[in-house]
Amino acid sequence: MTVLLLALLAPAVAQAGDKPALNGVALVIGQSKYQHVAPLPNPANDARDMLGLLSDLGFDARSASDRDSKKLKRDLERFVEDAEGADVAFLYYSGHGIEAAGENWLVPVDADVSSLDDAEETLVALSSVMDELKAKVPVAIVLLDACRTNPFPAGAVLRKHKDDQGSPVGDGGLTVVRGAASLAGGKPATENLGTVIGFAAEPGRPALDGTAGGNSPYAAALMRHLGAMGGEEFGAVMRMVTEEVYLDTKAQQRPWTNESLRRFLYFGVPEEEPQGDDGLITRERRKLLLTISDMPAASRAEVQNVAARSDVPMDSLFGVLRALGTDIPADPADLDKVLDAQAARLKQMIAEREALRSDDPEIRRLSDAADTAIRQGAIGTARQFLDKAVKRVEQTASAVDQAEETVKEKRLADAAVYAQRAAASALVFDYAAAAADYGKAWELAEKWDEKLRWNYKNQEAEALLAAGQAAGDAALLRKSIDAYQTILNLIPRDQENRDWAITRNNMAVVYQAIGESEAKNDNLEKAIEIFRASQAVFEREKDDANWTATETNIGNALLTLGQRESDPKRLEAAVESFKLSLAKRDRATAPLEWAGAENNVAIALYTLGNRTGDTGRMEEAEKAYRMALEEYTREKSPLNWAMVQNNLGNALSG
């Protein structure tokens, strides 16, 4: 029976098809119907689906569900006997599991509190099963979806036998198998060669059971990726499973795997890969999962934080970070800025998804597939779908000869497709392509929808700004100014309202970017002038949020001017501007924005103190940095914490 392939470790890449076929046996256990402790809804489903998967992959697989102590031990004994002579033994267990006395115990369905008084008789010790399997087969794989919380009362004590003094039952889940180390923890252990053990959650942490009627997150991830072993080595596949669970549970659960194989392990009869749209998405997602597994902990934590506070899919933000490749900003503040900007784009893109009202079923299908791909972090694949959707739009554009209302709906639907592709392009930092598509969306919507035409032109201007800054191209920046001017031209001259002020404010940001890139100060002065005019409107409208953001922009422009000039007056003005911005920040409701404002004040004070030699200003800067660190903690915002710590170090050394 063809099941697995083992390839000798060598510098060359191992090819699954070049190796001899092996045979294997599998036992799948699902424990749902517990009689005396909390039942679990999903192990029966997990076991059923895993049995089908392993059978399809070529294992001689059988299942044993809802087993009491005697039957569970008999099943395991029979499995060990059947494993003799096989090349691979695969055990999957889904149900309650506990840790006590340095041992992991599988819990039969008839277990109750009294079972803890003679555990060697009433429960199943995992180490004994593993020892017997290792003695029988070259390769033993044990996957435990059993890290659920302790089902026994708090403070329960387990005794291996009646004369044992007893040990407390762990609250959090299973523990590290003796001699094992995490797959991500460096060099594999040299003991227990030919053994793989995987937990659904990290040792000592509980795992989720999943929604009733479905699968646990761990089982669902195994179902999605285990078949990939036709082309991927086992360690890579288990890393995919780990990160799939991490994303699916929004960072609440992360599996743990130890493998001590000295050979590469492949499945020889790969499950049929998903086809069509789902296949394209899954292939890119698997690459993303492997990228996440190698990502530094600080970057991973920053993506989690930004996704949570922006309420966007964590998967999508990881896809954004993967698109950067080796160009991920080294400066924590720059990375935070990039992630925040892309999270805002994602949020807007998701919100605007409802604008797509195409009556073309193929365009709807492609757009839906792109939406699914982006939510799963497969942004490159999403762009492929949207390329096809735009091609379809262009093929059908000439046939639009219906009544006025029909034309309107068609144009707005077509504009939404261009806008969706623009957003996907911006997510992978192709701002020039995004600007071109937003421009096309503007052309299509200009005649028909006042709000959409404003929105698309504004996003075109933002994309041009991003493209100009990324390429250092002043011509693109000036095109951004032209785009904002187009928006201003749509607003009657006697209506200097909030929309007018926001657009003028955005235009000033572009003048500021141009001014920062050139030696002369004209554009910085112009930016400050426009900021102040916009701020007057925000004050009149009682729009504190935009007023405060504008004051911060003024402070940044003054700080740049002050750094260029010998007279410290501009630096003094920058300090006051940042303090005005800080005064309107509410620490209770927006702690991270408040901390950012404190950091801005500190930077300006430090620059002023360094320029004038005023130690009082340096002490004020130190105090402001320390205030910022009260909210920029390592746990809540690790990259900002590192940035401010570095700034504080500079202030102290100065």
Side-chain angles (χ1 to χ4, degrees):
M1 179 173 298
T2 303
V3 177
L4 300 170
L5 303 175
L6 284 178
L8 289 172
L9 274 176
V13 177
Q15 298 296 322
D18 299 333
K19 308 301 173 187
L22 307 175
N23 69 13
V25 295
L27 176 62
V28 177
I29 300 172
Q31 303 279 74
S32 281
K33 297 178 181 178
Y34 283 92
Q35 300 164 17
H36 308 293
V37 298
L40 296 170
N42 290 330
N45 304 328
D46 299 338
R48 180 194 64 232
D49 294 339
M50 282 296 296
L51 176 68
L53 173 63
L54 292 173
S55 297
D56 290 344
L57 289 169
F59 282 93
D60 182 3
R62 63 185 183 88
S63 66
S65 296
D66 298 323
R67 313 303 270 179
D68 60 23
S69 177
K70 291 182 180 179
K71 291 178 180 177
L72 181 59
K73 288 184 176 183
R74 188 163 65 245
D75 290 329
L76 289 167
E77 289 169 359
R78 178 184 167 191
F79 177 57
V80 171
E81 292 172 0
D82 292 344
E84 186 168 13
D87 298 302
V88 180
F90 194 123
L91 172 63
Y92 171 81
Y93 176 88
S94 181
H96 278 305
I98 60 172
E99 180 276 325
E103 174 67 84
N104 294 308
W105 305 85
L106 307 183
V107 181
V109 295
D110 62 340
D112 57 19
V113 175
S114 66
S115 303
L116 300 176
D117 293 332
D118 193 5
E120 289 181 341
E121 287 297 319
T122 56
L123 305 180
V124 176
L126 175 63
S127 60
S128 62
V129 177
M130 291 185 62
D131 288 343
E132 291 179 23
L133 283 176
K134 287 187 288 185
K136 295 284 188 180
V137 289
V139 177
I141 301 172
V142 178
L143 301 185
L144 299 170
D145 199 353
C147 306
R148 289 142 168 111
T149 50
N150 174 21
F152 297 106
V157 173
L158 178 145
R159 295 175 175 83
K160 292 185 177 181
H161 47 78
K162 294 188 180 297
D163 296 328
D164 183 16
Q165 291 186 349
S167 301
V169 177
D171 292 329
L174 305 188
T175 188
V176 176
V177 176
R178 289 189 293 275
S182 170
L183 187 66
K187 188 181 298 184
T190 55
E191 298 86 10
N192 303 328
L193 293 179
T195 301
V196 177
I197 181 160
F199 290 165
E202 293 169 306
R205 298 289 298 274
L208 304 175
D209 193 42
T211 57
N215 294 115
S216 74
Y218 190 53
L222 288 168
M223 236 78 72
R224 184 170 190 183
H225 297 297
L226 206 58
M229 287 188 61
E232 295 286 352
E233 189 268 328
F234 186 79
V237 172
M238 292 309 292
R239 284 194 291 275
M240 292 178 198
V241 169
T242 293
E243 305 308 339
E244 183 73 48
V245 173
Y246 166 75
L247 293 177
D248 183 50
T249 62
K250 294 181 172 59
Q252 295 181 69
Q253 178 180 331
R254 197 157 184 250
W256 181 96
T257 304
N258 167 256
E259 58 98 351
S260 56
L261 297 166
R262 286 191 172 179
R263 301 183 178 191
F264 288 140
L265 181 62
Y266 296 88
F267 275 81
V269 182
E271 182 188 28
E272 183 178 348
E273 284 290 300
Q275 302 299 311
D277 296 345
D278 187 44
L280 292 171
I281 294 170
T282 297
R283 281 191 282 278
E284 184 174 351
R285 183 172 176 85
R286 285 173 176 167
K287 294 176 183 177
L288 173 64
L289 296 174
L290 293 176
T291 299
I292 296 173
S293 72
D294 292 331
M295 193 170 287
S299 297
R300 179 195 295 269
E302 191 64 19
V303 172
Q304 280 181 222
N305 288 334
V306 173
R309 70 175 181 247
S310 301
D311 191 26
V312 297
M314 194 165 63
D315 317 46
S316 304
L317 267 192
F318 274 116
V320 167
L321 210 56
R322 179 173 178 264
L324 279 172
T326 58
D327 295 327
I328 295 176
D331 187 315
D334 289 343
L335 178 56
D336 191 62
K337 185 177 179 181
V338 166
L339 289 174
D340 272 335
Q342 298 298 65
R345 282 194 177 90
L346 274 169
K347 195 164 188 174
Q348 185 171 23
M349 184 180 186
I350 292 168
E352 292 174 353
R353 178 70 178 82
E354 296 305 314
L356 188 66
R357 301 185 294 271
S358 176
D359 58 355
D360 186 319
E362 178 64 6
I363 290 177
R364 287 202 302 271
R365 182 189 70 79
L366 290 166
S367 185
D368 289 344
D371 188 54
T372 299
I374 287 172
R375 290 177 183 275
Q376 295 200 27
I379 301 173
T381 301
R383 293 184 79 187
Q384 293 178 33
F385 292 141
L386 293 169
D387 283 341
K388 292 179 181 178
V390 167
K391 185 176 181 181
R392 176 80 173 174
V393 166
E394 292 170 347
Q395 287 172 342
T396 59
S398 61
V400 181
D401 55 359
Q402 303 168 24
E404 186 78 357
E405 190 58 30
T406 304
V407 172
K408 175 183 175 180
E409 291 179 3
K410 173 64 176 173
R411 295 304 185 208
L412 292 180
D414 291 350
V417 175
Y418 277 101
Q420 193 179 21
R421 186 172 71 168
S425 296
L427 286 176
V428 292
F429 308 98
D430 191 350
Y431 298 116
D437 274 345
Y438 280 131
K440 185 65 177 176
W442 145 267
E443 292 173 7
L444 289 167
E446 179 187 5
K447 179 180 176 182
W448 307 106
D449 191 298
E450 182 176 336
K451 183 178 178 180
L452 282 176
R453 73 179 180 185
W454 191 94
N455 187 38
Y456 291 148
K457 183 57 72 173
N458 190 64
Q459 290 185 93
E460 179 188 3
E462 289 179 356
L464 286 166
L465 170 60
Q469 287 180 315
D473 189 338
L476 288 173
L477 295 176
R478 295 197 178 279
K479 285 185 178 180
S480 177
I481 290 174
D482 292 340
Y484 283 125
Q485 187 59 55
T486 299
I487 297 173
L488 290 172
N489 292 340
L490 297 173
I491 301 173
R493 292 184 179 275
D494 61 342
Q495 293 182 17
E496 293 185 358
N497 56 15
R498 185 173 175 274
D499 285 346
W500 176 89
I502 290 172
T503 305
R504 289 271 291 169
N505 203 59
N506 292 340
M507 178 185 286
V509 170
V510 186
Y511 278 115
Q512 185 176 355
I514 295 172
E516 287 173 348
S517 67
E518 57 188 17
K520 58 184 182 179
N521 295 336
D522 295 0
N523 283 307
L524 286 172
E525 299 282 5
K526 189 174 183 67
I528 293 173
E529 176 186 351
I530 297 173
F531 283 139
R532 294 206 184 281
S534 298
Q535 197 173 44
V537 177
F538 297 142
E539 186 167 10
R540 186 179 72 229
E541 299 282 342
K542 302 188 184 319
D543 185 347
D544 283 351
N546 276 315
W547 189 97
T548 305
T550 303
E551 192 63 49
T552 301
N553 289 338
I554 292 170
N556 285 327
L558 288 169
L559 183 61
T560 301
L561 289 169
Q563 289 168 335
R564 294 177 179 181
E565 299 169 356
S566 58
D567 190 331
K569 288 182 180 178
R570 299 276 200 172
L571 294 178
E572 292 279 6
V575 170
E576 293 310 309
S577 188
F578 285 136
K579 285 183 176 179
L580 284 172
S581 175
L582 176 63
K584 293 213 175 193
R585 298 285 187 186
D586 185 350
R587 181 177 182 178
T589 58
L592 295 182
E593 289 80 359
W594 174 87
E598 282 283 3
N599 184 57
N600 289 338
V601 172
I603 290 171
L605 286 166
Y606 170 78
T607 306
L608 179 59
N610 199 40
R611 169 73 61 78
T612 62
D614 186 342
T615 56
R617 292 297 195 180
M618 298 295 273
E619 289 171 356
E620 285 185 68
E622 176 190 351
K623 181 180 177 181
Y625 281 133
R626 293 192 186 281
M627 291 293 288
L629 287 170
E630 289 181 9
E631 295 295 345
Y632 277 164
T633 63
R634 175 178 277 180
E635 294 72 27
K636 288 197 293 187
S637 188
L639 296 180
N640 281 318
W641 173 84
M643 172 193 69
V644 179
Q645 286 283 10
N646 184 66
N647 291 346
L648 176 60
N650 290 335
L652 292 172
S653 65

